Amino acid sequence: MLVPLSWLKDYVDIDITPQELEKKLFSCGFEVEELIEVGKEVSKVVVGLVEECDPIPETHLHVCKVNAGEHGTFQVCCGADNVCAGGKFPVALVGATVYMTAKDHKTVEGTMTIKKGKLRGYESEGMLCSGTELGVNDNMFPGGDYNGLLVLPEDAVVGTDVKPMLGLDDWIFDISITANRPDCQSILGIAREVAAVLNKELKMPALDYTETSVEKEGFRVTVDAQDLCPRYIGHYVYDVKIAESPLWMKRRLALVGQDAISNIVDITNYVMLEMGQPMHAFDYDYLEGNAIHVRRAGDGEKIVTLDSQEYELTSNNLVICDGVKPVALAGVMGGLNSEIRETTKEVVFESAKFARDNIRKTSRSLGKRTDASAKYEKGVDEFATIHAMKRALHLIEELNCGKVSCTHVDVNTGNSIEPKEMKVSIQRVNDVLGIEVPNEEILRIMKNLCFQPKIDGDELTLMVPAYREDMESYPDVAEEVIRMYGYEHVIPAFMPAAQVTMGGMTQKQKKELKLKRDLCALGAYECIHYSFFSPADLDLLRLPQDAPERTAIRLINPINEDLSLMRTTLAASMLNAIGRNQKKGNLEGRLYEIGKIFVPKELPLTDYPDERNRLCIGVFGDRESFFTLKGMAEKVAESLFVKFEYVPAKKTFLHPYQTAAILCNGVEIGYLGKVAYEVKNDLDLRTDAYLLEIDVRMIPGLYEAKTSFAPLSKFADEKRDLALVMDRSITCGQVEEIIRNSCKYIKGIKLFDVYEGEQIPKEKRSMAFNIHFVPQDEAFEAESVDNFVKKILKNLKNQLDIDLRS
C-alpha cells in the first residue's frame, strides 16, 4: 500500500526524517518494502522569470533572458510555443537533472543532465522545462500535460526550488499490510500506528456535515442476503455540480497511482484510500424504482461494469440492484448503466460491508480484481463503513459540489461499533513475552493504541475499538505491547523444557533421508505437492460415498475449489502429477512423495486431525510394469530393514487383477498396482502407470528400532534359478514365502520371468526365480545347495502342488 508522507502529516505531527520513520514502522511490525523519494531524478530546477524573449529568425526558437534570482541571469534558447516575456517557468540550471522525453514530448525515456550548448549559433545556459520533463502531469500541477512550458503562478518567488510547489518534495512509503491487520489498509490506519509509535496525538479527519430538510420521498434500501452484506448505508445527495477536483485532492490521488476523474468519483476514491472503505456513487436519474436492492444474482444474469466488460453471473455473486436491474457488482465494480456522468444532478452514495470470502470468490471466478475487491478480500469493518460515509458527505460540502439531504438509510444486522470490553491477566501477557513489561509502559502503549486501558492488580481492562477485529485474547495483547515496547527488550532464553544436545537428525529423519536416497538411486524424482486436493480427485479415484478417504476436512477459505479439501490420500496428487508430465511430453518416469495426510477424528472438527506420514510412488512408461513397482517396494523394505508380504487386493482406481495389498508383520500398511483403464482415460495417459502408497507410520517399530549390522560372510555364496509351473491362482508372494521358510540360508529371492503359453497347460503358468544362498559359519559342501533346492521343491509340491518346469 502506498502512503505519502504529506498525507500522513495531516493526522500526525511527524518530526523525524522519512528514513527514521521507516525504521519505526519496521519496529512495530509494518514492512516498508520501498521508501520512494518523489522527484528524486529532478534537481537544480528553479523558478525562472523570462525578462526578454526574442525570436530567432527563420526558426520556431526564441532566445530568452531568464532571471533565476540568486543563481543569476542566463541566456536560454527555447522552442516552446507558450514562452513569453514576463512569464514564470521552471528553469533547469547547468548541471541540473531532468527527465528526457521522446519525440511525442509525453513519453519519458530516462534522465539527462543539462549542459551549456549552442542552438542555431546562440549560446544556451540552461533549459526552460515542460511538466513532462519534471515528471509532472495535470493531476500534480495545472498544465502538467501541456506540450509546452509549465506555467508557474505569478506569485512564485524567482530563484526558489520548484519541487515544493509541484509536490515533488514528498516521500511515499510502500507498506506491506499483513492479513491480520485490515484496519491498516488505509492512510488513517497507518496514521494511528505512526501516532502510537511516535507517542503523538492522532488528529482525526473532519466528519461533520449539515443535512438539509430535503428528503427523497419513497427511497428505500432492502438487503436480502444479510449473511453477505451485514451493513449497507445509502445517502441521497442533490444539486450535484460535476467538475474537476481541487489540486490538493488530485495530487494525493496521483501520488498513490489514481487518476482524477471528477469531483464525485474522486471523493469515493479518496475516502477509500483515506479510510480504507470502498465506496460507490450511483447517478440517481438512472436508478429505476426509487430503490436499492442488495441480493444474490440469478444464474445466467448479466451485468456490464464501468470498464464496459459484460459478465454472466451465478447465485454465488452478490449484486446491487435498483428496483429493476443490477447496477453494480457488489464489492468489485459499479455498473455502466448507473455511472456518474457530466450531466449527473443527483447521487446516491453507497458505503457497505460485504463478506470477504464472497467478494474474493466473485473476483476470482470472474477474473476481475479491483482496488475495492482487494480491500474487501482482506476485510472491512463496520466502523469504517459508517465513518467513511460521514467523511464523504463532509467532502461534498467542503468541495461545494452538492447538497446533503436528510435521506439516510442504514440497513444492518445490529452490530455495534462501540468499543468492546476485554479483560486479560498482565502476568499471562508477560509470560507470553518472557519478560516483565512495567505496568506504566503497558498503560502508555495501550493508551496510544486507543484501547483506554485500566489496571487493577493483575487485571488489565481494555476497550477494544470496533476496527480492531483481530483482538481476541491475551496473546494479541502481548503482541501489541511488545511491538511498541520494542523487540530489543526480549532476552534470549531456553524454553523451560529445553535441553542442550549435540544436534544432528532424529531417528525418523535419518530413516526418511536414507529412504529418499535409495529411491533416487532407483531413478525416482521427489515430488512435493499441496496438502490440499479437490473433491473431483475423489471422484477420479472412483471412491464410494462411504469410503474413509471421503471424510476430508473442507477449508473455510480455499484458494480455489481444486484445493478445497485436506488430503486423505496421496494417490490423487501423484496421478495428477503423472498426467501433467505426460501432457508436457514426458512419457516415462519415476516419481515419489513422502507427505502427510490429514484424517479427522470427527466432522465438524473438535480436535486437531491425525497427521499420518505416507509414501507414494508413481511409475509410468512403456518399459515399466507391475514387477518394476514391486521391485521398488522391495527396495523400500530393504531400506527400512523390514520385510513385505503381498496378497491380492481390490482398489477402485487400480486394475482388478494387478493390485496387491502390502503387509508388514501381518499388518496391512499399503497397496500397489496398475492404474485402471478408466482412470488412465480420464487423465489422457498415453502409457500405463503404476501406483504404490504406504502408511509409513504403520510399519511396526520403524522409528524406535535401531539399525543393527552383521558381518559379511567369509564364504562363497551360491545362486540357483528355478522355473516353476503352478496354477494361475497362486501368487508370487505365496511361492516366495514357502521358499524363504524352507531354508535359513536364503538371502534373497528374485522373480525374473513369468510365462504363459503353448509349452505349459492352459490353466497353468510358469514363474522363474533366482534364489541367493549365503553361508553363515562354514562354507557350503558340494551337495548342500542341491539338498536345499530339493527341500524347497518338496515343500512347494506338498503345499501348493508346484512342479519344476522341465
Side-chain angles (χ1 to χ4, degrees), residues 391-423:
R391 179 61 172 161
L393 298 177
H394 169 87
L395 291 172
I396 289 289
E397 284 193 347
E398 183 178 330
L399 272 57
N400 193 28
C401 56
K403 295 181 179 178
V404 181
S405 77
C406 61
T407 300
H408 179 93
V409 184
D410 184 349
V411 180
N412 61 78
T413 55
N415 293 332
S416 172
I417 63 165
E418 294 300 317
K420 295 180 180 179
E421 186 177 80
M422 175 193 290
K423 294 180 183 289

PDB file of all heavy atoms in Angstrom, residues 391-423:
ATOM      1  N   ARG A 391     -17.396  10.955   6.165  1.00  0.00           N
ATOM      2  CA  ARG A 391     -16.282  11.671   5.555  1.00  0.00           C
ATOM      3  C   ARG A 391     -16.634  12.099   4.130  1.00  0.00           C
ATOM      4  O   ARG A 391     -16.329  13.223   3.710  1.00  0.00           O
ATOM      5  CB  ARG A 391     -15.045  10.769   5.543  1.00  0.00           C
ATOM      6  CG  ARG A 391     -13.805  11.371   4.901  1.00  0.00           C
ATOM      7  CD  ARG A 391     -13.337  12.630   5.611  1.00  0.00           C
ATOM      8  NE  ARG A 391     -12.043  13.084   5.109  1.00  0.00           N
ATOM      9  CZ  ARG A 391     -11.567  14.305   5.274  1.00  0.00           C
ATOM     10  NH1 ARG A 391     -12.288  15.225   5.901  1.00  0.00           N
ATOM     11  NH2 ARG A 391     -10.384  14.638   4.807  1.00  0.00           N
ATOM     12  N   ALA A 392     -17.288  11.233   3.378  1.00  0.00           N
ATOM     13  CA  ALA A 392     -17.664  11.557   2.002  1.00  0.00           C
ATOM     14  C   ALA A 392     -18.648  12.722   1.969  1.00  0.00           C
ATOM     15  O   ALA A 392     -18.526  13.634   1.135  1.00  0.00           O
ATOM     16  CB  ALA A 392     -18.272  10.330   1.323  1.00  0.00           C
ATOM     17  N   LEU A 393     -19.605  12.711   2.869  1.00  0.00           N
ATOM     18  CA  LEU A 393     -20.592  13.800   2.907  1.00  0.00           C
ATOM     19  C   LEU A 393     -19.940  15.115   3.334  1.00  0.00           C
ATOM     20  O   LEU A 393     -20.316  16.188   2.844  1.00  0.00           O
ATOM     21  CB  LEU A 393     -21.742  13.428   3.844  1.00  0.00           C
ATOM     22  CG  LEU A 393     -22.554  12.177   3.410  1.00  0.00           C
ATOM     23  CD1 LEU A 393     -23.612  11.848   4.444  1.00  0.00           C
ATOM     24  CD2 LEU A 393     -23.183  12.385   2.036  1.00  0.00           C
ATOM     25  N   HIS A 394     -18.948  15.025   4.230  1.00  0.00           N
ATOM     26  CA  HIS A 394     -18.206  16.232   4.606  1.00  0.00           C
ATOM     27  C   HIS A 394     -17.486  16.805   3.379  1.00  0.00           C
ATOM     28  O   HIS A 394     -17.490  18.034   3.165  1.00  0.00           O
ATOM     29  CB  HIS A 394     -17.197  15.920   5.707  1.00  0.00           C
ATOM     30  CG  HIS A 394     -16.231  17.034   5.958  1.00  0.00           C
ATOM     31  ND1 HIS A 394     -16.507  18.070   6.831  1.00  0.00           N
ATOM     32  CD2 HIS A 394     -14.999  17.311   5.425  1.00  0.00           C
ATOM     33  CE1 HIS A 394     -15.494  18.927   6.831  1.00  0.00           C
ATOM     34  NE2 HIS A 394     -14.559  18.483   5.991  1.00  0.00           N
ATOM     35  N   LEU A 395     -16.863  15.936   2.593  1.00  0.00           N
ATOM     36  CA  LEU A 395     -16.131  16.403   1.416  1.00  0.00           C
ATOM     37  C   LEU A 395     -17.070  16.979   0.358  1.00  0.00           C
ATOM     38  O   LEU A 395     -16.684  17.893  -0.388  1.00  0.00           O
ATOM     39  CB  LEU A 395     -15.302  15.259   0.827  1.00  0.00           C
ATOM     40  CG  LEU A 395     -14.109  14.808   1.683  1.00  0.00           C
ATOM     41  CD1 LEU A 395     -13.478  13.549   1.112  1.00  0.00           C
ATOM     42  CD2 LEU A 395     -13.066  15.927   1.784  1.00  0.00           C
ATOM     43  N   ILE A 396     -18.289  16.463   0.276  1.00  0.00           N
ATOM     44  CA  ILE A 396     -19.286  17.046  -0.633  1.00  0.00           C
ATOM     45  C   ILE A 396     -19.500  18.514  -0.286  1.00  0.00           C
ATOM     46  O   ILE A 396     -19.532  19.390  -1.167  1.00  0.00           O
ATOM     47  CB  ILE A 396     -20.617  16.277  -0.549  1.00  0.00           C
ATOM     48  CG1 ILE A 396     -20.488  14.902  -1.186  1.00  0.00           C
ATOM     49  CG2 ILE A 396     -21.753  17.065  -1.191  1.00  0.00           C
ATOM     50  CD1 ILE A 396     -20.368  14.902  -2.689  1.00  0.00           C
ATOM     51  N   GLU A 397     -19.616  18.813   0.995  1.00  0.00           N
ATOM     52  CA  GLU A 397     -19.791  20.203   1.432  1.00  0.00           C
ATOM     53  C   GLU A 397     -18.507  21.004   1.248  1.00  0.00           C
ATOM     54  O   GLU A 397     -18.537  22.146   0.791  1.00  0.00           O
ATOM     55  CB  GLU A 397     -20.215  20.238   2.902  1.00  0.00           C
ATOM     56  CG  GLU A 397     -21.673  19.877   3.132  1.00  0.00           C
ATOM     57  CD  GLU A 397     -22.130  20.232   4.540  1.00  0.00           C
ATOM     58  OE1 GLU A 397     -21.274  20.517   5.398  1.00  0.00           O
ATOM     59  OE2 GLU A 397     -23.353  20.230   4.766  1.00  0.00           O
ATOM     60  N   GLU A 398     -17.367  20.413   1.602  1.00  0.00           N
ATOM     61  CA  GLU A 398     -16.099  21.130   1.519  1.00  0.00           C
ATOM     62  C   GLU A 398     -15.781  21.528   0.084  1.00  0.00           C
ATOM     63  O   GLU A 398     -15.287  22.629  -0.176  1.00  0.00           O
ATOM     64  CB  GLU A 398     -14.977  20.266   2.083  1.00  0.00           C
ATOM     65  CG  GLU A 398     -13.620  20.966   2.102  1.00  0.00           C
ATOM     66  CD  GLU A 398     -12.526  20.110   2.716  1.00  0.00           C
ATOM     67  OE1 GLU A 398     -12.833  19.285   3.608  1.00  0.00           O
ATOM     68  OE2 GLU A 398     -11.359  20.266   2.294  1.00  0.00           O
ATOM     69  N   LEU A 399     -16.080  20.654  -0.867  1.00  0.00           N
ATOM     70  CA  LEU A 399     -15.806  20.927  -2.279  1.00  0.00           C
ATOM     71  C   LEU A 399     -16.968  21.672  -2.941  1.00  0.00           C
ATOM     72  O   LEU A 399     -16.880  22.032  -4.124  1.00  0.00           O
ATOM     73  CB  LEU A 399     -15.531  19.633  -3.037  1.00  0.00           C
ATOM     74  CG  LEU A 399     -14.083  19.136  -3.058  1.00  0.00           C
ATOM     75  CD1 LEU A 399     -13.520  18.928  -1.658  1.00  0.00           C
ATOM     76  CD2 LEU A 399     -13.979  17.831  -3.861  1.00  0.00           C
ATOM     77  N   ASN A 400     -18.047  21.862  -2.185  1.00  0.00           N
ATOM     78  CA  ASN A 400     -19.220  22.580  -2.685  1.00  0.00           C
ATOM     79  C   ASN A 400     -19.719  21.988  -4.011  1.00  0.00           C
ATOM     80  O   ASN A 400     -19.988  22.704  -4.974  1.00  0.00           O
ATOM     81  CB  ASN A 400     -18.890  24.070  -2.876  1.00  0.00           C
ATOM     82  CG  ASN A 400     -20.149  24.914  -3.087  1.00  0.00           C
ATOM     83  OD1 ASN A 400     -21.240  24.548  -2.604  1.00  0.00           O
ATOM     84  ND2 ASN A 400     -20.031  26.016  -3.806  1.00  0.00           N
ATOM     85  N   CYS A 401     -19.816  20.665  -4.019  1.00  0.00           N
ATOM     86  CA  CYS A 401     -20.240  20.002  -5.258  1.00  0.00           C
ATOM     87  C   CYS A 401     -21.601  19.322  -5.113  1.00  0.00           C
ATOM     88  O   CYS A 401     -21.976  18.496  -5.941  1.00  0.00           O
ATOM     89  CB  CYS A 401     -19.195  18.995  -5.717  1.00  0.00           C
ATOM     90  SG  CYS A 401     -18.770  17.745  -4.509  1.00  0.00           S
ATOM     91  N   GLY A 402     -22.360  19.663  -4.070  1.00  0.00           N
ATOM     92  CA  GLY A 402     -23.685  19.113  -3.894  1.00  0.00           C
ATOM     93  C   GLY A 402     -24.235  19.476  -2.536  1.00  0.00           C
ATOM     94  O   GLY A 402     -23.546  20.071  -1.695  1.00  0.00           O
ATOM     95  N   LYS A 403     -25.495  19.107  -2.322  1.00  0.00           N
ATOM     96  CA  LYS A 403     -26.142  19.357  -1.033  1.00  0.00           C
ATOM     97  C   LYS A 403     -26.568  18.032  -0.422  1.00  0.00           C
ATOM     98  O   LYS A 403     -27.075  17.148  -1.116  1.00  0.00           O
ATOM     99  CB  LYS A 403     -27.344  20.283  -1.208  1.00  0.00           C
ATOM    100  CG  LYS A 403     -26.954  21.680  -1.685  1.00  0.00           C
ATOM    101  CD  LYS A 403     -28.166  22.589  -1.830  1.00  0.00           C
ATOM    102  CE  LYS A 403     -27.757  23.989  -2.294  1.00  0.00           C
ATOM    103  NZ  LYS A 403     -28.932  24.868  -2.491  1.00  0.00           N
ATOM    104  N   VAL A 404     -26.323  17.921   0.884  1.00  0.00           N
ATOM    105  CA  VAL A 404     -26.585  16.667   1.595  1.00  0.00           C
ATOM    106  C   VAL A 404     -28.024  16.675   2.097  1.00  0.00           C
ATOM    107  O   VAL A 404     -28.402  17.522   2.919  1.00  0.00           O
ATOM    108  CB  VAL A 404     -25.611  16.482   2.768  1.00  0.00           C
ATOM    109  CG1 VAL A 404     -25.877  15.170   3.476  1.00  0.00           C
ATOM    110  CG2 VAL A 404     -24.170  16.553   2.282  1.00  0.00           C
ATOM    111  N   SER A 405     -28.826  15.741   1.629  1.00  0.00           N
ATOM    112  CA  SER A 405     -30.227  15.650   2.057  1.00  0.00           C
ATOM    113  C   SER A 405     -30.305  14.952   3.410  1.00  0.00           C
ATOM    114  O   SER A 405     -29.298  14.496   3.965  1.00  0.00           O
ATOM    115  CB  SER A 405     -31.036  14.863   1.022  1.00  0.00           C
ATOM    116  OG  SER A 405     -30.776  13.475   1.163  1.00  0.00           O
ATOM    117  N   CYS A 406     -31.512  14.841   3.921  1.00  0.00           N
ATOM    118  CA  CYS A 406     -31.715  14.115   5.174  1.00  0.00           C
ATOM    119  C   CYS A 406     -32.112  12.661   4.921  1.00  0.00           C
ATOM    120  O   CYS A 406     -32.456  11.934   5.859  1.00  0.00           O
ATOM    121  CB  CYS A 406     -32.769  14.816   6.034  1.00  0.00           C
ATOM    122  SG  CYS A 406     -34.398  14.904   5.248  1.00  0.00           S
ATOM    123  N   THR A 407     -32.056  12.234   3.670  1.00  0.00           N
ATOM    124  CA  THR A 407     -32.398  10.848   3.336  1.00  0.00           C
ATOM    125  C   THR A 407     -31.171   9.972   3.538  1.00  0.00           C
ATOM    126  O   THR A 407     -30.241   9.956   2.730  1.00  0.00           O
ATOM    127  CB  THR A 407     -32.890  10.735   1.880  1.00  0.00           C
ATOM    128  OG1 THR A 407     -34.052  11.544   1.721  1.00  0.00           O
ATOM    129  CG2 THR A 407     -33.226   9.295   1.532  1.00  0.00           C
ATOM    130  N   HIS A 408     -31.161   9.277   4.643  1.00  0.00           N
ATOM    131  CA  HIS A 408     -30.041   8.421   5.039  1.00  0.00           C
ATOM    132  C   HIS A 408     -30.618   7.074   5.463  1.00  0.00           C
ATOM    133  O   HIS A 408     -31.437   7.004   6.391  1.00  0.00           O
ATOM    134  CB  HIS A 408     -29.271   9.065   6.195  1.00  0.00           C
ATOM    135  CG  HIS A 408     -28.108   8.250   6.685  1.00  0.00           C
ATOM    136  ND1 HIS A 408     -26.836   8.423   6.200  1.00  0.00           N
ATOM    137  CD2 HIS A 408     -28.027   7.268   7.619  1.00  0.00           C
ATOM    138  CE1 HIS A 408     -26.013   7.591   6.818  1.00  0.00           C
ATOM    139  NE2 HIS A 408     -26.720   6.875   7.686  1.00  0.00           N
ATOM    140  N   VAL A 409     -30.210   5.981   4.786  1.00  0.00           N
ATOM    141  CA  VAL A 409     -30.735   4.649   5.097  1.00  0.00           C
ATOM    142  C   VAL A 409     -29.579   3.754   5.513  1.00  0.00           C
ATOM    143  O   VAL A 409     -28.585   3.622   4.795  1.00  0.00           O
ATOM    144  CB  VAL A 409     -31.466   4.037   3.883  1.00  0.00           C
ATOM    145  CG1 VAL A 409     -32.076   2.687   4.270  1.00  0.00           C
ATOM    146  CG2 VAL A 409     -32.524   4.978   3.357  1.00  0.00           C
ATOM    147  N   ASP A 410     -29.709   3.140   6.694  1.00  0.00           N
ATOM    148  CA  ASP A 410     -28.684   2.242   7.230  1.00  0.00           C
ATOM    149  C   ASP A 410     -29.341   0.905   7.548  1.00  0.00           C
ATOM    150  O   ASP A 410     -30.053   0.765   8.545  1.00  0.00           O
ATOM    151  CB  ASP A 410     -28.059   2.853   8.485  1.00  0.00           C
ATOM    152  CG  ASP A 410     -26.910   2.009   9.048  1.00  0.00           C
ATOM    153  OD1 ASP A 410     -26.737   0.857   8.599  1.00  0.00           O
ATOM    154  OD2 ASP A 410     -26.196   2.500   9.940  1.00  0.00           O
ATOM    155  N   VAL A 411     -29.130  -0.085   6.682  1.00  0.00           N
ATOM    156  CA  VAL A 411     -29.680  -1.421   6.894  1.00  0.00           C
ATOM    157  C   VAL A 411     -28.570  -2.285   7.465  1.00  0.00           C
ATOM    158  O   VAL A 411     -27.521  -2.471   6.827  1.00  0.00           O
ATOM    159  CB  VAL A 411     -30.207  -2.033   5.576  1.00  0.00           C
ATOM    160  CG1 VAL A 411     -30.771  -3.424   5.815  1.00  0.00           C
ATOM    161  CG2 VAL A 411     -31.250  -1.128   4.954  1.00  0.00           C
ATOM    162  N   ASN A 412     -28.765  -2.824   8.667  1.00  0.00           N
ATOM    163  CA  ASN A 412     -27.698  -3.586   9.308  1.00  0.00           C
ATOM    164  C   ASN A 412     -28.262  -4.719  10.142  1.00  0.00           C
ATOM    165  O   ASN A 412     -29.480  -4.829  10.339  1.00  0.00           O
ATOM    166  CB  ASN A 412     -26.824  -2.663  10.163  1.00  0.00           C
ATOM    167  CG  ASN A 412     -27.608  -1.993  11.269  1.00  0.00           C
ATOM    168  OD1 ASN A 412     -27.898  -2.598  12.286  1.00  0.00           O
ATOM    169  ND2 ASN A 412     -27.983  -0.715  11.066  1.00  0.00           N
ATOM    170  N   THR A 413     -27.368  -5.553  10.644  1.00  0.00           N
ATOM    171  CA  THR A 413     -27.761  -6.720  11.445  1.00  0.00           C
ATOM    172  C   THR A 413     -27.682  -6.435  12.934  1.00  0.00           C
ATOM    173  O   THR A 413     -27.773  -7.357  13.753  1.00  0.00           O
ATOM    174  CB  THR A 413     -26.865  -7.917  11.110  1.00  0.00           C
ATOM    175  OG1 THR A 413     -25.488  -7.542  11.290  1.00  0.00           O
ATOM    176  CG2 THR A 413     -27.072  -8.366   9.667  1.00  0.00           C
ATOM    177  N   GLY A 414     -27.490  -5.180  13.298  1.00  0.00           N
ATOM    178  CA  GLY A 414     -27.474  -4.812  14.710  1.00  0.00           C
ATOM    179  C   GLY A 414     -26.110  -4.836  15.356  1.00  0.00           C
ATOM    180  O   GLY A 414     -26.001  -4.702  16.580  1.00  0.00           O
ATOM    181  N   ASN A 415     -25.068  -4.994  14.566  1.00  0.00           N
ATOM    182  CA  ASN A 415     -23.715  -4.993  15.135  1.00  0.00           C
ATOM    183  C   ASN A 415     -23.371  -3.600  15.648  1.00  0.00           C
ATOM    184  O   ASN A 415     -23.559  -2.608  14.952  1.00  0.00           O
ATOM    185  CB  ASN A 415     -22.688  -5.421  14.084  1.00  0.00           C
ATOM    186  CG  ASN A 415     -22.859  -6.875  13.676  1.00  0.00           C
ATOM    187  OD1 ASN A 415     -23.336  -7.687  14.458  1.00  0.00           O
ATOM    188  ND2 ASN A 415     -22.467  -7.193  12.459  1.00  0.00           N
ATOM    189  N   SER A 416     -22.821  -3.549  16.856  1.00  0.00           N
ATOM    190  CA  SER A 416     -22.454  -2.270  17.460  1.00  0.00           C
ATOM    191  C   SER A 416     -21.045  -1.877  17.032  1.00  0.00           C
ATOM    192  O   SER A 416     -20.186  -2.732  16.814  1.00  0.00           O
ATOM    193  CB  SER A 416     -22.509  -2.374  18.983  1.00  0.00           C
ATOM    194  OG  SER A 416     -21.991  -1.198  19.585  1.00  0.00           O
ATOM    195  N   ILE A 417     -20.819  -0.567  16.897  1.00  0.00           N
ATOM    196  CA  ILE A 417     -19.467  -0.089  16.604  1.00  0.00           C
ATOM    197  C   ILE A 417     -18.840   0.532  17.852  1.00  0.00           C
ATOM    198  O   ILE A 417     -17.803   1.191  17.764  1.00  0.00           O
ATOM    199  CB  ILE A 417     -19.462   0.923  15.443  1.00  0.00           C
ATOM    200  CG1 ILE A 417     -20.253   2.180  15.802  1.00  0.00           C
ATOM    201  CG2 ILE A 417     -19.974   0.289  14.169  1.00  0.00           C
ATOM    202  CD1 ILE A 417     -19.997   3.334  14.860  1.00  0.00           C
ATOM    203  N   GLU A 418     -19.475   0.307  18.993  1.00  0.00           N
ATOM    204  CA  GLU A 418     -18.912   0.793  20.248  1.00  0.00           C
ATOM    205  C   GLU A 418     -17.783  -0.145  20.691  1.00  0.00           C
ATOM    206  O   GLU A 418     -17.795  -1.339  20.378  1.00  0.00           O
ATOM    207  CB  GLU A 418     -19.992   0.846  21.334  1.00  0.00           C
ATOM    208  CG  GLU A 418     -21.077   1.865  21.062  1.00  0.00           C
ATOM    209  CD  GLU A 418     -20.525   3.278  20.964  1.00  0.00           C
ATOM    210  OE1 GLU A 418     -19.664   3.641  21.803  1.00  0.00           O
ATOM    211  OE2 GLU A 418     -20.920   4.004  20.036  1.00  0.00           O
ATOM    212  N   PRO A 419     -16.779   0.376  21.410  1.00  0.00           N
ATOM    213  CA  PRO A 419     -15.682  -0.478  21.889  1.00  0.00           C
ATOM    214  C   PRO A 419     -16.201  -1.614  22.776  1.00  0.00           C
ATOM    215  O   PRO A 419     -17.160  -1.443  23.535  1.00  0.00           O
ATOM    216  CB  PRO A 419     -14.801   0.491  22.681  1.00  0.00           C
ATOM    217  CG  PRO A 419     -15.118   1.842  22.137  1.00  0.00           C
ATOM    218  CD  PRO A 419     -16.567   1.800  21.770  1.00  0.00           C
ATOM    219  N   LYS A 420     -15.555  -2.780  22.684  1.00  0.00           N
ATOM    220  CA  LYS A 420     -15.928  -3.939  23.491  1.00  0.00           C
ATOM    221  C   LYS A 420     -14.905  -4.160  24.594  1.00  0.00           C
ATOM    222  O   LYS A 420     -13.709  -4.028  24.373  1.00  0.00           O
ATOM    223  CB  LYS A 420     -16.027  -5.191  22.611  1.00  0.00           C
ATOM    224  CG  LYS A 420     -17.138  -5.124  21.572  1.00  0.00           C
ATOM    225  CD  LYS A 420     -17.180  -6.398  20.745  1.00  0.00           C
ATOM    226  CE  LYS A 420     -18.295  -6.328  19.704  1.00  0.00           C
ATOM    227  NZ  LYS A 420     -18.339  -7.547  18.856  1.00  0.00           N
ATOM    228  N   GLU A 421     -15.397  -4.501  25.758  1.00  0.00           N
ATOM    229  CA  GLU A 421     -14.508  -4.685  26.900  1.00  0.00           C
ATOM    230  C   GLU A 421     -13.771  -6.022  26.820  1.00  0.00           C
ATOM    231  O   GLU A 421     -14.342  -7.044  26.465  1.00  0.00           O
ATOM    232  CB  GLU A 421     -15.312  -4.629  28.198  1.00  0.00           C
ATOM    233  CG  GLU A 421     -14.445  -4.664  29.452  1.00  0.00           C
ATOM    234  CD  GLU A 421     -15.253  -4.535  30.732  1.00  0.00           C
ATOM    235  OE1 GLU A 421     -15.842  -5.560  31.165  1.00  0.00           O
ATOM    236  OE2 GLU A 421     -15.319  -3.427  31.279  1.00  0.00           O
ATOM    237  N   MET A 422     -12.488  -5.990  27.141  1.00  0.00           N
ATOM    238  CA  MET A 422     -11.669  -7.207  27.217  1.00  0.00           C
ATOM    239  C   MET A 422     -10.844  -7.143  28.483  1.00  0.00           C
ATOM    240  O   MET A 422     -10.221  -6.121  28.775  1.00  0.00           O
ATOM    241  CB  MET A 422     -10.743  -7.319  25.995  1.00  0.00           C
ATOM    242  CG  MET A 422      -9.780  -8.512  26.069  1.00  0.00           C
ATOM    243  SD  MET A 422      -8.441  -8.462  24.832  1.00  0.00           S
ATOM    244  CE  MET A 422      -9.356  -8.779  23.346  1.00  0.00           C
ATOM    245  N   LYS A 423     -10.836  -8.231  29.241  1.00  0.00           N
ATOM    246  CA  LYS A 423     -10.031  -8.308  30.467  1.00  0.00           C
ATOM    247  C   LYS A 423      -8.996  -9.419  30.302  1.00  0.00           C
ATOM    248  O   LYS A 423      -9.334 -10.537  29.903  1.00  0.00           O
ATOM    249  CB  LYS A 423     -10.912  -8.598  31.681  1.00  0.00           C
ATOM    250  CG  LYS A 423     -11.897  -7.474  32.029  1.00  0.00           C
ATOM    251  CD  LYS A 423     -12.732  -7.840  33.237  1.00  0.00           C
ATOM    252  CE  LYS A 423     -13.770  -6.768  33.569  1.00  0.00           C
ATOM    253  NZ  LYS A 423     -13.139  -5.561  34.116  1.00  0.00           N
TER     254      LYS A 423
END
